[in-house]
PDB file of all heavy atoms in Angstrom:
ATOM      1  N   ALA G   1       0.827  -1.204   0.000  1.00 98.00           N
ATOM      2  CA  ALA G   1       0.000   0.000   0.000  1.00 98.00           C
ATOM      3  C   ALA G   1       0.864   1.258   0.000  1.00 98.00           C
ATOM      4  O   ALA G   1       0.361   2.363  -0.242  1.00 98.00           O
ATOM      5  CB  ALA G   1      -0.926   0.000   1.216  1.00 98.00           C
ATOM      6  N   PHE G   2       2.176   1.088   0.226  1.00 98.00           N
ATOM      7  CA  PHE G   2       3.098   2.221   0.164  1.00 98.00           C
ATOM      8  C   PHE G   2       3.502   2.553  -1.273  1.00 98.00           C
ATOM      9  O   PHE G   2       3.942   3.664  -1.562  1.00 98.00           O
ATOM     10  CB  PHE G   2       4.350   1.910   0.996  1.00 98.00           C
ATOM     11  CG  PHE G   2       5.288   3.070   1.162  1.00 98.00           C
ATOM     12  CD1 PHE G   2       5.125   3.968   2.200  1.00 98.00           C
ATOM     13  CD2 PHE G   2       6.346   3.277   0.271  1.00 98.00           C
ATOM     14  CE1 PHE G   2       5.984   5.053   2.352  1.00 98.00           C
ATOM     15  CE2 PHE G   2       7.203   4.348   0.414  1.00 98.00           C
ATOM     16  CZ  PHE G   2       7.022   5.245   1.460  1.00 98.00           C
ATOM     17  N   LYS G   3       3.362   1.611  -2.195  1.00 98.00           N
ATOM     18  CA  LYS G   3       3.867   1.780  -3.558  1.00 98.00           C
ATOM     19  C   LYS G   3       3.333   3.016  -4.292  1.00 98.00           C
ATOM     20  O   LYS G   3       4.067   3.624  -5.078  1.00 98.00           O
ATOM     21  CB  LYS G   3       3.581   0.524  -4.377  1.00 98.00           C
ATOM     22  CG  LYS G   3       4.418  -0.676  -3.950  1.00 98.00           C
ATOM     23  CD  LYS G   3       4.018  -1.938  -4.687  1.00 98.00           C
ATOM     24  CE  LYS G   3       4.828  -3.149  -4.212  1.00 98.00           C
ATOM     25  NZ  LYS G   3       4.373  -4.411  -4.817  1.00 98.00           N
ATOM     26  N   PRO G   4       2.056   3.426  -4.099  1.00 98.00           N
ATOM     27  CA  PRO G   4       1.584   4.616  -4.811  1.00 98.00           C
ATOM     28  C   PRO G   4       2.430   5.860  -4.571  1.00 98.00           C
ATOM     29  O   PRO G   4       2.526   6.715  -5.454  1.00 98.00           O
ATOM     30  CB  PRO G   4       0.162   4.794  -4.274  1.00 98.00           C
ATOM     31  CG  PRO G   4      -0.286   3.398  -3.980  1.00 98.00           C
ATOM     32  CD  PRO G   4       0.942   2.734  -3.422  1.00 98.00           C
ATOM     33  N   PHE G   5       3.073   5.965  -3.404  1.00 98.00           N
ATOM     34  CA  PHE G   5       3.931   7.122  -3.155  1.00 98.00           C
ATOM     35  C   PHE G   5       5.139   7.104  -4.096  1.00 98.00           C
ATOM     36  O   PHE G   5       5.593   8.148  -4.572  1.00 98.00           O
ATOM     37  CB  PHE G   5       4.390   7.137  -1.695  1.00 98.00           C
ATOM     38  CG  PHE G   5       3.256   7.107  -0.698  1.00 98.00           C
ATOM     39  CD1 PHE G   5       3.212   6.151   0.293  1.00 98.00           C
ATOM     40  CD2 PHE G   5       2.229   8.030  -0.770  1.00 98.00           C
ATOM     41  CE1 PHE G   5       2.173   6.109   1.205  1.00 98.00           C
ATOM     42  CE2 PHE G   5       1.178   8.008   0.140  1.00 98.00           C
ATOM     43  CZ  PHE G   5       1.151   7.042   1.122  1.00 98.00           C
ATOM     44  N   VAL G   6       5.647   5.915  -4.353  1.00 98.00           N
ATOM     45  CA  VAL G   6       6.785   5.767  -5.264  1.00 98.00           C
ATOM     46  C   VAL G   6       6.353   6.046  -6.703  1.00 98.00           C
ATOM     47  O   VAL G   6       7.032   6.762  -7.449  1.00 98.00           O
ATOM     48  CB  VAL G   6       7.385   4.355  -5.136  1.00 98.00           C
ATOM     49  CG1 VAL G   6       8.567   4.198  -6.097  1.00 98.00           C
ATOM     50  CG2 VAL G   6       7.818   4.082  -3.700  1.00 98.00           C
ATOM     51  N   TYR G   7       5.214   5.491  -7.099  1.00 98.00           N
ATOM     52  CA  TYR G   7       4.736   5.696  -8.461  1.00 98.00           C
ATOM     53  C   TYR G   7       4.386   7.164  -8.712  1.00 98.00           C
ATOM     54  O   TYR G   7       4.630   7.683  -9.807  1.00 98.00           O
ATOM     55  CB  TYR G   7       3.521   4.806  -8.739  1.00 98.00           C
ATOM     56  CG  TYR G   7       3.907   3.389  -9.095  1.00 98.00           C
ATOM     57  CD1 TYR G   7       4.205   2.450  -8.104  1.00 98.00           C
ATOM     58  CD2 TYR G   7       4.000   2.977 -10.419  1.00 98.00           C
ATOM     59  CE1 TYR G   7       4.571   1.155  -8.423  1.00 98.00           C
ATOM     60  CE2 TYR G   7       4.364   1.674 -10.753  1.00 98.00           C
ATOM     61  CZ  TYR G   7       4.649   0.773  -9.743  1.00 98.00           C
ATOM     62  OH  TYR G   7       5.011  -0.510 -10.078  1.00 98.00           O
ATOM     63  N   TYR G   8       3.838   7.822  -7.698  1.00 98.00           N
ATOM     64  CA  TYR G   8       3.584   9.261  -7.877  1.00 98.00           C
ATOM     65  C   TYR G   8       4.895   9.998  -8.108  1.00 98.00           C
ATOM     66  O   TYR G   8       4.979  10.884  -8.984  1.00 98.00           O
ATOM     67  CB  TYR G   8       2.866   9.866  -6.664  1.00 98.00           C
ATOM     68  CG  TYR G   8       2.891  11.372  -6.737  1.00 98.00           C
ATOM     69  CD1 TYR G   8       2.014  12.049  -7.563  1.00 98.00           C
ATOM     70  CD2 TYR G   8       3.872  12.111  -6.063  1.00 98.00           C
ATOM     71  CE1 TYR G   8       2.091  13.424  -7.702  1.00 98.00           C
ATOM     72  CE2 TYR G   8       3.958  13.474  -6.189  1.00 98.00           C
ATOM     73  CZ  TYR G   8       3.067  14.133  -7.019  1.00 98.00           C
ATOM     74  OH  TYR G   8       3.162  15.495  -7.180  1.00 98.00           O
ATOM     75  N   ALA G   9       5.927   9.673  -7.341  1.00 98.00           N
ATOM     76  CA  ALA G   9       7.221  10.346  -7.502  1.00 98.00           C
ATOM     77  C   ALA G   9       7.750  10.170  -8.923  1.00 98.00           C
ATOM     78  O   ALA G   9       8.293  11.104  -9.521  1.00 98.00           O
ATOM     79  CB  ALA G   9       8.223   9.801  -6.487  1.00 98.00           C
ATOM     80  N   ALA G  10       7.571   8.967  -9.471  1.00 97.00           N
ATOM     81  CA  ALA G  10       8.032   8.726 -10.841  1.00 97.00           C
ATOM     82  C   ALA G  10       7.233   9.551 -11.845  1.00 97.00           C
ATOM     83  O   ALA G  10       7.797  10.164 -12.765  1.00 97.00           O
ATOM     84  CB  ALA G  10       7.916   7.237 -11.158  1.00 97.00           C
ATOM     85  N   LEU G  11       5.912   9.603 -11.670  1.00 98.00           N
ATOM     86  CA  LEU G  11       5.067  10.379 -12.585  1.00 98.00           C
ATOM     87  C   LEU G  11       5.364  11.865 -12.478  1.00 98.00           C
ATOM     88  O   LEU G  11       5.419  12.586 -13.480  1.00 98.00           O
ATOM     89  CB  LEU G  11       3.588  10.109 -12.270  1.00 98.00           C
ATOM     90  CG  LEU G  11       3.090   8.676 -12.523  1.00 98.00           C
ATOM     91  CD1 LEU G  11       1.727   8.483 -11.864  1.00 98.00           C
ATOM     92  CD2 LEU G  11       3.002   8.407 -14.032  1.00 98.00           C
ATOM     93  N   ALA G  12       5.554  12.344 -11.245  1.00 97.00           N
ATOM     94  CA  ALA G  12       5.798  13.775 -11.040  1.00 97.00           C
ATOM     95  C   ALA G  12       7.160  14.205 -11.562  1.00 97.00           C
ATOM     96  O   ALA G  12       7.383  15.400 -11.809  1.00 97.00           O
ATOM     97  CB  ALA G  12       5.677  14.113  -9.553  1.00 97.00           C
ATOM     98  N   SER G  13       8.072  13.251 -11.755  1.00 96.00           N
ATOM     99  CA  SER G  13       9.400  13.608 -12.270  1.00 96.00           C
ATOM    100  C   SER G  13       9.347  14.040 -13.730  1.00 96.00           C
ATOM    101  O   SER G  13      10.292  14.659 -14.242  1.00 96.00           O
ATOM    102  CB  SER G  13      10.352  12.416 -12.116  1.00 96.00           C
ATOM    103  OG  SER G  13      10.006  11.374 -13.037  1.00 96.00           O
ATOM    104  N   GLY G  14       8.241  13.693 -14.411  1.00 95.00           N
ATOM    105  CA  GLY G  14       8.108  14.028 -15.823  1.00 95.00           C
ATOM    106  C   GLY G  14       8.732  13.011 -16.747  1.00 95.00           C
ATOM    107  O   GLY G  14       8.574  13.103 -17.968  1.00 95.00           O
ATOM    108  N   HIS G  15       9.425  12.007 -16.226  1.00 96.00           N
ATOM    109  CA  HIS G  15      10.096  10.995 -17.040  1.00 96.00           C
ATOM    110  C   HIS G  15       9.186   9.809 -17.356  1.00 96.00           C
ATOM    111  O   HIS G  15       9.531   8.981 -18.206  1.00 96.00           O
ATOM    112  CB  HIS G  15      11.356  10.491 -16.326  1.00 96.00           C
ATOM    113  CG  HIS G  15      12.437  11.522 -16.220  1.00 96.00           C
ATOM    114  ND1 HIS G  15      13.224  11.889 -17.285  1.00 96.00           N
ATOM    115  CD2 HIS G  15      12.862  12.265 -15.159  1.00 96.00           C
ATOM    116  CE1 HIS G  15      14.102  12.808 -16.891  1.00 96.00           C
ATOM    117  NE2 HIS G  15      13.905  13.050 -15.600  1.00 96.00           N
ATOM    118  N   TYR G  16       8.053   9.698 -16.658  1.00 97.00           N
ATOM    119  CA  TYR G  16       7.199   8.526 -16.817  1.00 97.00           C
ATOM    120  C   TYR G  16       5.741   8.941 -17.009  1.00 97.00           C
ATOM    121  O   TYR G  16       5.290   9.977 -16.509  1.00 97.00           O
ATOM    122  CB  TYR G  16       7.287   7.620 -15.581  1.00 97.00           C
ATOM    123  CG  TYR G  16       8.642   7.012 -15.345  1.00 97.00           C
ATOM    124  CD1 TYR G  16       9.585   7.651 -14.533  1.00 97.00           C
ATOM    125  CD2 TYR G  16       8.978   5.786 -15.916  1.00 97.00           C
ATOM    126  CE1 TYR G  16      10.834   7.090 -14.305  1.00 97.00           C
ATOM    127  CE2 TYR G  16      10.222   5.212 -15.690  1.00 97.00           C
ATOM    128  CZ  TYR G  16      11.132   5.863 -14.889  1.00 97.00           C
ATOM    129  OH  TYR G  16      12.377   5.296 -14.664  1.00 97.00           O
ATOM    130  N   THR G  17       5.018   8.081 -17.708  1.00 97.00           N
ATOM    131  CA  THR G  17       3.561   8.135 -17.795  1.00 97.00           C
ATOM    132  C   THR G  17       3.045   6.773 -17.340  1.00 97.00           C
ATOM    133  O   THR G  17       3.839   5.830 -17.170  1.00 97.00           O
ATOM    134  CB  THR G  17       3.088   8.407 -19.233  1.00 97.00           C
ATOM    135  OG1 THR G  17       3.317   7.233 -20.037  1.00 97.00           O
ATOM    136  CG2 THR G  17       3.812   9.602 -19.844  1.00 97.00           C
ATOM    137  N   PRO G  18       1.735   6.609 -17.166  1.00 98.00           N
ATOM    138  CA  PRO G  18       1.225   5.289 -16.784  1.00 98.00           C
ATOM    139  C   PRO G  18       1.572   4.191 -17.782  1.00 98.00           C
ATOM    140  O   PRO G  18       1.634   3.010 -17.404  1.00 98.00           O
ATOM    141  CB  PRO G  18      -0.283   5.514 -16.710  1.00 98.00           C
ATOM    142  CG  PRO G  18      -0.420   6.960 -16.354  1.00 98.00           C
ATOM    143  CD  PRO G  18       0.680   7.641 -17.098  1.00 98.00           C
ATOM    144  N   ASP G  19       1.838   4.568 -19.046  1.00 97.00           N
ATOM    145  CA  ASP G  19       2.126   3.571 -20.066  1.00 97.00           C
ATOM    146  C   ASP G  19       3.620   3.362 -20.298  1.00 97.00           C
ATOM    147  O   ASP G  19       4.011   2.556 -21.151  1.00 97.00           O
ATOM    148  CB  ASP G  19       1.458   3.965 -21.389  1.00 97.00           C
ATOM    149  CG  ASP G  19      -0.060   4.004 -21.260  1.00 97.00           C
ATOM    150  OD1 ASP G  19      -0.609   3.151 -20.545  1.00 97.00           O
ATOM    151  OD2 ASP G  19      -0.687   4.909 -21.849  1.00 97.00           O
ATOM    152  N   SER G  20       4.444   4.103 -19.561  1.00 97.00           N
ATOM    153  CA  SER G  20       5.890   3.898 -19.677  1.00 97.00           C
ATOM    154  C   SER G  20       6.267   2.513 -19.163  1.00 97.00           C
ATOM    155  O   SER G  20       5.583   1.949 -18.306  1.00 97.00           O
ATOM    156  CB  SER G  20       6.644   4.957 -18.875  1.00 97.00           C
ATOM    157  OG  SER G  20       6.373   6.254 -19.368  1.00 97.00           O
ATOM    158  N   TYR G  21       7.386   1.989 -19.708  1.00 96.00           N
ATOM    159  CA  TYR G  21       7.808   0.644 -19.327  1.00 96.00           C
ATOM    160  C   TYR G  21       8.889   0.700 -18.252  1.00 96.00           C
ATOM    161  O   TYR G  21       9.715   1.617 -18.204  1.00 96.00           O
ATOM    162  CB  TYR G  21       8.307  -0.132 -20.549  1.00 96.00           C
ATOM    163  CG  TYR G  21       7.188  -0.824 -21.291  1.00 96.00           C
ATOM    164  CD1 TYR G  21       6.325  -0.090 -22.101  1.00 96.00           C
ATOM    165  CD2 TYR G  21       6.982  -2.194 -21.151  1.00 96.00           C
ATOM    166  CE1 TYR G  21       5.281  -0.702 -22.759  1.00 96.00           C
ATOM    167  CE2 TYR G  21       5.938  -2.827 -21.817  1.00 96.00           C
ATOM    168  CZ  TYR G  21       5.085  -2.071 -22.617  1.00 96.00           C
ATOM    169  OH  TYR G  21       4.047  -2.693 -23.259  1.00 96.00           O
ATOM    170  N   VAL G  22       8.830  -0.318 -17.397  1.00 96.00           N
ATOM    171  CA  VAL G  22       9.826  -0.490 -16.360  1.00 96.00           C
ATOM    172  C   VAL G  22      10.206  -1.960 -16.349  1.00 96.00           C
ATOM    173  O   VAL G  22       9.375  -2.831 -16.633  1.00 96.00           O
ATOM    174  CB  VAL G  22       9.285  -0.041 -14.978  1.00 96.00           C
ATOM    175  CG1 VAL G  22       8.051  -0.855 -14.585  1.00 96.00           C
ATOM    176  CG2 VAL G  22      10.364  -0.144 -13.901  1.00 96.00           C
ATOM    177  N   SER G  23      11.463  -2.234 -16.043  1.00 96.00           N
ATOM    178  CA  SER G  23      11.946  -3.615 -16.096  1.00 96.00           C
ATOM    179  C   SER G  23      11.547  -4.391 -14.849  1.00 96.00           C
ATOM    180  O   SER G  23      11.792  -3.950 -13.720  1.00 96.00           O
ATOM    181  CB  SER G  23      13.466  -3.631 -16.252  1.00 96.00           C
ATOM    182  OG  SER G  23      13.956  -4.958 -16.229  1.00 96.00           O
ATOM    183  N   ASP G  24      10.934  -5.544 -15.073  1.00 95.00           N
ATOM    184  CA  ASP G  24      10.623  -6.483 -13.990  1.00 95.00           C
ATOM    185  C   ASP G  24      11.531  -7.697 -14.177  1.00 95.00           C
ATOM    186  O   ASP G  24      11.135  -8.737 -14.700  1.00 95.00           O
ATOM    187  CB  ASP G  24       9.153  -6.890 -14.043  1.00 95.00           C
ATOM    188  CG  ASP G  24       8.776  -7.845 -12.913  1.00 95.00           C
ATOM    189  OD1 ASP G  24       9.609  -8.042 -12.003  1.00 95.00           O
ATOM    190  OD2 ASP G  24       7.662  -8.389 -12.944  1.00 95.00           O
ATOM    191  N   SER G  25      12.781  -7.534 -13.770  1.00 95.00           N
ATOM    192  CA  SER G  25      13.793  -8.576 -13.951  1.00 95.00           C
ATOM    193  C   SER G  25      14.702  -8.604 -12.731  1.00 95.00           C
ATOM    194  O   SER G  25      14.743  -7.639 -11.958  1.00 95.00           O
ATOM    195  CB  SER G  25      14.625  -8.284 -15.212  1.00 95.00           C
ATOM    196  OG  SER G  25      15.219  -7.004 -15.122  1.00 95.00           O
ATOM    197  N   PRO G  26      15.415  -9.698 -12.526  1.00 95.00           N
ATOM    198  CA  PRO G  26      16.258  -9.806 -11.329  1.00 95.00           C
ATOM    199  C   PRO G  26      17.239  -8.652 -11.221  1.00 95.00           C
ATOM    200  O   PRO G  26      17.832  -8.212 -12.216  1.00 95.00           O
ATOM    201  CB  PRO G  26      16.986 -11.138 -11.532  1.00 95.00           C
ATOM    202  CG  PRO G  26      16.078 -11.923 -12.429  1.00 95.00           C
ATOM    203  CD  PRO G  26      15.475 -10.918 -13.357  1.00 95.00           C
ATOM    204  N   VAL G  27      17.408  -8.179 -10.000  1.00 94.00           N
ATOM    205  CA  VAL G  27      18.324  -7.081  -9.745  1.00 94.00           C
ATOM    206  C   VAL G  27      18.790  -7.171  -8.299  1.00 94.00           C
ATOM    207  O   VAL G  27      18.075  -7.696  -7.445  1.00 94.00           O
ATOM    208  CB  VAL G  27      17.641  -5.714 -10.012  1.00 94.00           C
ATOM    209  CG1 VAL G  27      16.527  -5.469  -9.011  1.00 94.00           C
ATOM    210  CG2 VAL G  27      18.663  -4.573  -9.981  1.00 94.00           C
ATOM    211  N   SER G  28      20.007  -6.691  -8.040  1.00 93.00           N
ATOM    212  CA  SER G  28      20.550  -6.676  -6.677  1.00 93.00           C
ATOM    213  C   SER G  28      21.136  -5.304  -6.389  1.00 93.00           C
ATOM    214  O   SER G  28      21.703  -4.653  -7.279  1.00 93.00           O
ATOM    215  CB  SER G  28      21.627  -7.750  -6.501  1.00 93.00           C
ATOM    216  OG  SER G  28      21.076  -9.045  -6.649  1.00 93.00           O
ATOM    217  N   TYR G  29      20.997  -4.864  -5.155  1.00 92.00           N
ATOM    218  CA  TYR G  29      21.511  -3.561  -4.741  1.00 92.00           C
ATOM    219  C   TYR G  29      22.353  -3.727  -3.484  1.00 92.00           C
ATOM    220  O   TYR G  29      22.048  -4.541  -2.601  1.00 92.00           O
ATOM    221  CB  TYR G  29      20.366  -2.584  -4.448  1.00 92.00           C
ATOM    222  CG  TYR G  29      19.500  -2.266  -5.647  1.00 92.00           C
ATOM    223  CD1 TYR G  29      18.282  -2.928  -5.843  1.00 92.00           C
ATOM    224  CD2 TYR G  29      19.892  -1.311  -6.571  1.00 92.00           C
ATOM    225  CE1 TYR G  29      17.483  -2.639  -6.927  1.00 92.00           C
ATOM    226  CE2 TYR G  29      19.097  -1.009  -7.672  1.00 92.00           C
ATOM    227  CZ  TYR G  29      17.896  -1.677  -7.839  1.00 92.00           C
ATOM    228  OH  TYR G  29      17.110  -1.392  -8.924  1.00 92.00           O
ATOM    229  N   ARG G  30      23.430  -2.967  -3.466  1.00 86.00           N
ATOM    230  CA  ARG G  30      24.257  -2.924  -2.271  1.00 86.00           C
ATOM    231  C   ARG G  30      23.510  -2.113  -1.216  1.00 86.00           C
ATOM    232  O   ARG G  30      23.196  -0.944  -1.426  1.00 86.00           O
ATOM    233  CB  ARG G  30      25.607  -2.263  -2.583  1.00 86.00           C
ATOM    234  CG  ARG G  30      26.590  -2.270  -1.424  1.00 86.00           C
ATOM    235  CD  ARG G  30      27.276  -3.605  -1.294  1.00 86.00           C
ATOM    236  NE  ARG G  30      28.253  -3.609  -0.209  1.00 86.00           N
ATOM    237  CZ  ARG G  30      29.043  -4.632   0.066  1.00 86.00           C
ATOM    238  NH1 ARG G  30      28.976  -5.724  -0.677  1.00 86.00           N
ATOM    239  NH2 ARG G  30      29.901  -4.580   1.066  1.00 86.00           N
ATOM    240  N   ASP G  31      23.162  -2.729  -0.112  1.00 77.00           N
ATOM    241  CA  ASP G  31      22.334  -2.051   0.889  1.00 77.00           C
ATOM    242  C   ASP G  31      22.895  -2.345   2.275  1.00 77.00           C
ATOM    243  O   ASP G  31      22.880  -3.487   2.735  1.00 77.00           O
ATOM    244  CB  ASP G  31      20.885  -2.532   0.800  1.00 77.00           C
ATOM    245  CG  ASP G  31      19.942  -1.680   1.640  1.00 77.00           C
ATOM    246  OD1 ASP G  31      20.204  -0.479   1.777  1.00 77.00           O
ATOM    247  OD2 ASP G  31      18.948  -2.236   2.160  1.00 77.00           O
ATOM    248  N   GLY G  32      23.430  -1.326   2.898  1.00 71.00           N
ATOM    249  CA  GLY G  32      24.002  -1.511   4.221  1.00 71.00           C
ATOM    250  C   GLY G  32      25.253  -2.362   4.159  1.00 71.00           C
ATOM    251  O   GLY G  32      26.205  -2.063   3.428  1.00 71.00           O
ATOM    252  N   SER G  33      25.246  -3.472   4.874  1.00 73.00           N
ATOM    253  CA  SER G  33      26.432  -4.328   4.946  1.00 73.00           C
ATOM    254  C   SER G  33      26.415  -5.458   3.937  1.00 73.00           C
ATOM    255  O   SER G  33      27.345  -6.262   3.886  1.00 73.00           O
ATOM    256  CB  SER G  33      26.543  -4.934   6.367  1.00 73.00           C
ATOM    257  OG  SER G  33      25.385  -5.697   6.667  1.00 73.00           O
ATOM    258  N   GLY G  34      25.321  -5.552   3.131  1.00 84.00           N
ATOM    259  CA  GLY G  34      25.249  -6.658   2.190  1.00 84.00           C
ATOM    260  C   GLY G  34      24.473  -6.289   0.945  1.00 84.00           C
ATOM    261  O   GLY G  34      24.254  -5.118   0.639  1.00 84.00           O
ATOM    262  N   TRP G  35      24.076  -7.346   0.210  1.00 88.00           N
ATOM    263  CA  TRP G  35      23.339  -7.149  -1.030  1.00 88.00           C
ATOM    264  C   TRP G  35      21.862  -7.446  -0.802  1.00 88.00           C
ATOM    265  O   TRP G  35      21.494  -8.349  -0.056  1.00 88.00           O
ATOM    266  CB  TRP G  35      23.880  -8.071  -2.126  1.00 88.00           C
ATOM    267  CG  TRP G  35      25.231  -7.634  -2.616  1.00 88.00           C
ATOM    268  CD1 TRP G  35      26.436  -8.006  -2.124  1.00 88.00           C
ATOM    269  CD2 TRP G  35      25.484  -6.734  -3.682  1.00 88.00           C
ATOM    270  NE1 TRP G  35      27.461  -7.397  -2.808  1.00 88.00           N
ATOM    271  CE2 TRP G  35      26.887  -6.602  -3.779  1.00 88.00           C
ATOM    272  CE3 TRP G  35      24.680  -6.016  -4.574  1.00 88.00           C
ATOM    273  CZ2 TRP G  35      27.503  -5.791  -4.724  1.00 88.00           C
ATOM    274  CZ3 TRP G  35      25.278  -5.213  -5.513  1.00 88.00           C
ATOM    275  CH2 TRP G  35      26.681  -5.104  -5.589  1.00 88.00           C
ATOM    276  N   TYR G  36      21.005  -6.647  -1.474  1.00 89.00           N
ATOM    277  CA  TYR G  36      19.560  -6.812  -1.360  1.00 89.00           C
ATOM    278  C   TYR G  36      19.016  -7.157  -2.733  1.00 89.00           C
ATOM    279  O   TYR G  36      19.205  -6.410  -3.697  1.00 89.00           O
ATOM    280  CB  TYR G  36      18.912  -5.529  -0.834  1.00 89.00           C
ATOM    281  CG  TYR G  36      17.393  -5.556  -0.838  1.00 89.00           C
ATOM    282  CD1 TYR G  36      16.686  -6.468  -0.058  1.00 89.00           C
ATOM    283  CD2 TYR G  36      16.677  -4.655  -1.626  1.00 89.00           C
ATOM    284  CE1 TYR G  36      15.304  -6.488  -0.056  1.00 89.00           C
ATOM    285  CE2 TYR G  36      15.292  -4.662  -1.635  1.00 89.00           C
ATOM    286  CZ  TYR G  36      14.606  -5.583  -0.848  1.00 89.00           C
ATOM    287  OH  TYR G  36      13.234  -5.597  -0.857  1.00 89.00           O
ATOM    288  N   SER G  37      18.352  -8.314  -2.842  1.00 92.00           N
ATOM    289  CA  SER G  37      17.795  -8.770  -4.118  1.00 92.00           C
ATOM    290  C   SER G  37      16.286  -8.916  -3.978  1.00 92.00           C
ATOM    291  O   SER G  37      15.789  -9.932  -3.462  1.00 92.00           O
ATOM    292  CB  SER G  37      18.419 -10.106  -4.537  1.00 92.00           C
ATOM    293  OG  SER G  37      19.819 -10.003  -4.645  1.00 92.00           O
TER     294      SER G  37
END
């Protein structure tokens, strides 16, 4: 239920519309002391 705040931020940036594409594929991020996937 928190996700709409993120999606609004993307829309308000001007770089995205509701029909813009985003990748739904494996990804990992360095977060704190380890990796977050």
Side-chain angles (χ1 to χ4, degrees):
F2 188 88
K3 290 174 182 175
F5 304 126
V6 180
Y7 279 82
Y8 168 79
L11 294 167
S13 71
H15 292 285
Y16 296 92
T17 72
D19 297 323
S20 298
Y21 274 76
V22 60
S23 177
D24 181 9
S25 57
V27 66
S28 296
Y29 297 98
R30 185 80 178 184
D31 190 32
S33 59
W35 288 89
Y36 173 63
S37 302

